[in-house]
Amino acid sequence: MTTPPPLVPPAVRLRLGTRPGHGDAVRRIDGAWWPRSYDLTAELPALLAALPPGWGNITSVLVNGAMWSLSDDGAPVGGQQVHLRRAEASRAEDTVCLVTPGRGRWDLVVVPPAATAEEAERLMQTAAAEAPLTFPPTR
């Protein structure tokens, strides 16, 4: 009898753009993330592990919209507790905000898990572009 290979977590579907200069007054999107579900506690560990080291240890995550499944206690990630919060902001329903105290905040467009590969590619490419984005994206 052969032993099945160990389960390897699927690759994180993440695309990051170039952050504007510190003097820019307009907040922009820092990239896009295409989770496999809206279960934040299940999706978050892989996302945080895939972020650039320069972003530091994310301690707080703010998601918009009621579609996310999350616990009020936060999620243990890499030996630390990450605070999870929900906002009902209608202007940024499809974003997730990652915060590192003293280092900054990063906003990612969330591509719906049910998106097709073509839709996801278009949204991720737009989000990672150097130009600031407007939402919803124009077609």
Side-chain angles (χ1 to χ4, degrees):
M1 175 180 228
T2 60
T3 304
L7 292 176
V8 177
V12 175
R13 301 180 295 190
L14 175 69
R15 183 166 307 163
L16 301 176
T18 304
R19 196 171 179 113
H22 296 299
D24 289 348
V26 176
R27 182 82 196 147
R28 66 164 259 140
I29 294 296
D30 296 297
W33 173 44
W34 185 17
R36 288 173 170 73
S37 75
Y38 281 116
D39 182 349
L40 192 60
T41 55
E43 299 287 341
L44 192 58
L47 171 64
L48 297 186
L51 297 175
W55 286 22
N57 292 324
I58 304 296
T59 60
S60 184
V61 176
L62 176 66
V63 294
N64 292 301
M67 72 287 247
W68 289 100
S69 170
L70 58 113
S71 71
D72 293 333
D73 298 336
V77 178
Q80 73 177 43
Q81 194 75 359
V82 176
H83 300 285
L84 306 178
R85 296 181 295 148
R86 181 189 322 271
E88 299 300 331
S90 61
R91 66 184 184 136
E93 291 179 9
D94 300 326
T95 60
V96 62
C97 175
L98 309 169
V99 179
T100 302
R103 288 218 178 155
R105 108 181 216 185
W106 293 270
D107 294 304
L108 301 175
V109 169
V110 176
V111 176
T116 67
E118 293 80 20
E119 292 168 331
E121 177 59 29
R122 181 182 56 80
L123 287 169
M124 293 177 82
Q125 184 174 1
T126 302
E130 298 234 344
L133 298 176
T134 57
F135 287 97
T138 56
R139 293 183 187 243

